[in-house]
Amino acid sequence: MTRVIVAKRVDRGDAELTEITDLARAAGYEVVGHLSQTREEDAAYHFGEGKVGELAALVAREDAKAVIFDNRLGPYQTYNIAQKLPSDVEVIDRFTLILEIFGQRANTRKAQLQVELAELRYELPRAEAKASLAKRDERPGFMGLGEYDESRERDIKAQISRIKNELDAIADKEETRREQRRESGFDLVALAGYTNAGKSTLMQRLAADLEVGQNDDLHPDLDPTAESQDKLFTTLGTTTRRAETGKHDVLLTDTVGFVSDLPHWLVESFKSTLDSVYRADLVLLVVDASEPVEEMREKLITSHDTLYERNEAPIVTVFNKMDKVDDEELEEKRAALSALAPNPVAVSGLTGENISELTERVERELPAWERERLLLPMADDTMSLVSWLYDHAHVETEEYEGEQVHLEFEARPEIVEKARAKAAKLSVTADST
């Protein structure tokens, strides 16, 4: 396991190193030291030059092989810092680390493409900086990018274009799948929130009464069960399962967790995954209620910044992990965060506490269903239509009177329209015989 030092500069206040330490461990590094500084950013070294000297001494003392900065480093800052450290020590900034974790978790073609796209977008300005240094005869192969080749920038841009085209094609297929699911009578609910908020655990709780195999006949393209681990970015792609919330047939999708201070190019690279959230019928924004209120506030703001960019669905905030806080603390947090999280639902995905309250809230917040009555003739295909309605709607009344079947049901508007069309065909068939 590679030994690393984590470092962070802040403009004011005290530097918080918990998250970057967790991220480093999630990537498989052993954190053996910490260093922070409160000062304005230095254009050449990000830290002050004296602090970089202190960092070099700490690296030597702890025999570290890399330094991970919880900051965004420019290409020249990365180069200058590396010049002050032992030659075999790697300089990694926050976003390089996140991309490394994403790369480790990318198990699908879509996830792999998104990671590759983000890496290329990150590399492009560094390739441009390398070109500039090379022209000045300053270490053309710096940062492990290889020898200078003036065609490299063109290659990166061409690869970015190719990957975007492939991701667009995948996004089109996924949009078609979403529409097919809606046409089949499903409401789409997305789990969103900060990484490690417990989304995957909550998903398993909501869908715990159904095995994946039971879904095959109902919807053969459902994805596997979400993982549930105390690990950042366990879910990188999307995982969809059927959930029971009441009358509605719900497909619940778990997505990649948000993380603070992500640059636009990184969020944009995962736009295809986030479309599962943006185009849902309802979003459950999951927050870890056991964290300090200020940390919850910051993470809610981060989540809102990402969601409100393109999100069209209503949002219900879920205070998860309520088993870790007492009632008094929970109420204090509700009051303190009411502007960001009006009327949240507190649950425990781990123990199942208050899950029924959450499912009731989901039922209330989903798009309204239409109520319909049909009087069907007893024809050859009548029972097929009755069975179809049980699969795609909530049937309240099924009565047989002579040669007719009386049905009352609730369903999505598009399902009601389909049912009317099917019923009309039955009537035409019955009249012609």
Side-chain angles (χ1 to χ4, degrees):
M1 188 178 291
T2 303
R3 295 165 63 86
V4 301
I5 305 295
V6 296
K8 184 173 185 176
R9 183 202 61 80
V10 293
D11 293 329
R12 62 188 66 85
D14 297 324
E16 172 55 58
L17 291 165
T18 302
E19 182 187 78
I20 192 64
T21 300
D22 290 343
L23 287 169
R25 288 171 178 158
Y29 292 109
E30 179 186 1
V31 178
V32 295
H34 301 80
L35 189 73
S36 63
Q37 185 176 37
T38 302
R39 59 155 290 165
E40 292 182 357
E41 180 178 355
D42 180 84
Y45 293 95
H46 193 81
F47 279 30
E49 186 172 2
K51 200 70 173 180
V52 176
E54 184 180 332
L55 175 63
L58 179 60
V59 166
R61 186 166 66 250
E62 298 296 338
D63 192 27
K65 298 304 179 186
V67 178
I68 298 174
F69 286 83
D70 193 17
N71 301 97
R72 188 184 311 188
L73 299 180
Y76 294 103
Q77 291 172 332
T78 303
Y79 171 71
N80 291 335
I81 293 170
Q83 292 293 90
K84 296 284 187 179
L85 301 177
S87 60
D88 61 341
V89 175
E90 186 178 6
V91 177
I92 302 170
D93 75 358
R94 174 185 180 83
F95 307 118
T96 307
L97 178 64
I98 290 172
L99 288 176
E100 185 175 337
I101 298 171
F102 281 176
Q104 293 170 1
R105 306 283 192 272
N107 296 319
T108 66
R109 175 62 177 166
K110 174 181 165 183
Q112 290 163 357
L113 284 170
Q114 290 177 129
V115 170
E116 188 178 351
L117 179 59
E119 288 172 342
L120 289 167
R121 282 175 164 158
Y122 185 77
E123 182 183 347
L124 184 57
R126 281 150 179 77
E128 293 167 346
K130 182 187 68 170
S132 176
L133 286 171
K135 289 172 184 176
R136 301 195 324 237
D137 295 325
E138 292 188 35
R139 196 176 161 195
F142 91 104
M143 293 167 50
L145 291 173
E147 292 302 314
Y148 170 62
D149 180 353
E150 61 184 10
S151 67
R152 179 57 181 154
E153 294 168 50
R154 292 195 301 272
D155 290 343
I156 292 174
K157 290 174 182 177
Q159 289 179 68
I160 287 174
S161 178
R162 174 186 58 78
I163 292 171
K164 285 175 66 177
N165 288 338
E166 189 170 347
L167 284 172
D168 285 344
I170 292 173
D172 289 342
K173 291 178 182 177
E174 290 181 340
E175 179 59 23
T176 299
R177 180 187 295 185
R178 277 190 289 271
E179 291 310 312
Q180 288 173 341
R181 287 171 170 177
R182 285 193 175 98
E183 289 171 4
S184 298
F186 288 103
D187 288 286
L188 308 182
V189 178
L191 288 169
Y194 205 88
T195 185
N196 243 24
K199 298 187 302 301
S200 297
T201 301
L202 182 59
M203 182 179 189
Q204 288 188 346
R205 174 63 61 179
L206 288 168
D209 57 332
L210 286 173
E211 295 296 331
V212 174
Q214 290 179 266
N215 290 322
D216 290 344
D217 293 335
L218 290 168
H219 215 80
D221 59 352
L222 291 187
D223 302 316
T225 307
E227 290 184 75
S228 175
Q229 302 178 25
D230 185 18
K231 197 173 188 181
L232 299 176
F233 304 119
T234 298
T235 307
L236 182 57
T238 57
T239 303
T240 300
R241 291 203 57 193
R242 187 172 179 178
E244 294 293 331
T245 62
K247 287 194 239 181
H248 291 70
D249 284 325
V250 169
L251 290 179
L252 188 64
T253 297
D254 186 17
T255 63
V256 62
F258 302 148
V259 65
S260 62
D261 193 29
L262 286 183
H264 174 77
W265 58 264
L266 184 52
V267 174
E268 187 65 20
S269 298
F270 284 82
K271 177 176 67 68
S272 178
T273 291
L274 292 173
D275 276 346
S276 299
V277 178
Y278 295 140
R279 302 186 185 184
D281 297 304
L282 178 68
V283 175
L284 300 182
L285 176 53
V286 185
V287 185
D288 184 349
S290 68
E291 294 180 331
V293 69
E294 283 308 312
E295 195 166 336
M296 292 175 67
R297 188 191 311 280
E298 289 178 11
K299 292 180 178 181
L300 278 167
I301 292 171
T302 294
S303 299
H304 285 177
D305 286 346
T306 305
L307 286 173
Y308 286 127
E309 180 182 357
R310 289 196 302 269
N311 186 61
E312 300 171 0
I315 297 171
V316 172
T317 303
V318 181
F319 282 2
N320 194 25
K321 306 186 185 181
M322 65 177 295
D323 54 295
K324 294 186 177 182
V325 296
D326 58 37
D327 293 343
E328 183 179 353
E329 182 182 353
L330 191 59
E331 286 308 310
E332 289 174 356
K333 289 178 175 178
R334 282 181 185 268
L337 299 169
S338 59
L340 286 168
N343 196 21
V345 180
V347 304
S348 171
L350 184 64
T351 68
E353 189 175 358
N354 269 12
I355 291 296
S356 60
E357 181 182 337
L358 176 58
T359 56
E360 289 169 8
R361 180 71 174 277
V362 168
E363 284 283 305
R364 292 199 305 271
E365 297 287 348
L366 283 170
W369 279 9
E370 290 184 9
R371 183 179 293 273
E372 178 68 350
R373 297 179 181 180
L374 292 178
L375 192 61
L376 307 176
M378 284 302 295
D380 291 342
D381 294 329
T382 298
M383 296 315 297
S384 294
L385 175 53
V386 172
S387 177
W388 182 84
L389 281 170
Y390 271 98
D391 287 339
H392 295 82
H394 178 70
V395 179
E396 295 182 344
T397 303
E398 178 188 357
E399 295 178 349
Y400 294 83
E401 299 175 1
E403 294 299 310
Q404 293 181 317
V405 182
H406 177 246
L407 290 171
E408 292 187 20
F409 63 93
E410 285 184 297
R412 295 179 64 93
E414 52 265 45
I415 296 300
V416 172
E417 286 298 319
K418 280 191 174 184
R420 288 171 181 163
K422 289 174 181 285
K425 287 182 180 180
L426 284 176
S427 298
V428 170
T429 302
D431 291 342
S432 64
T433 57

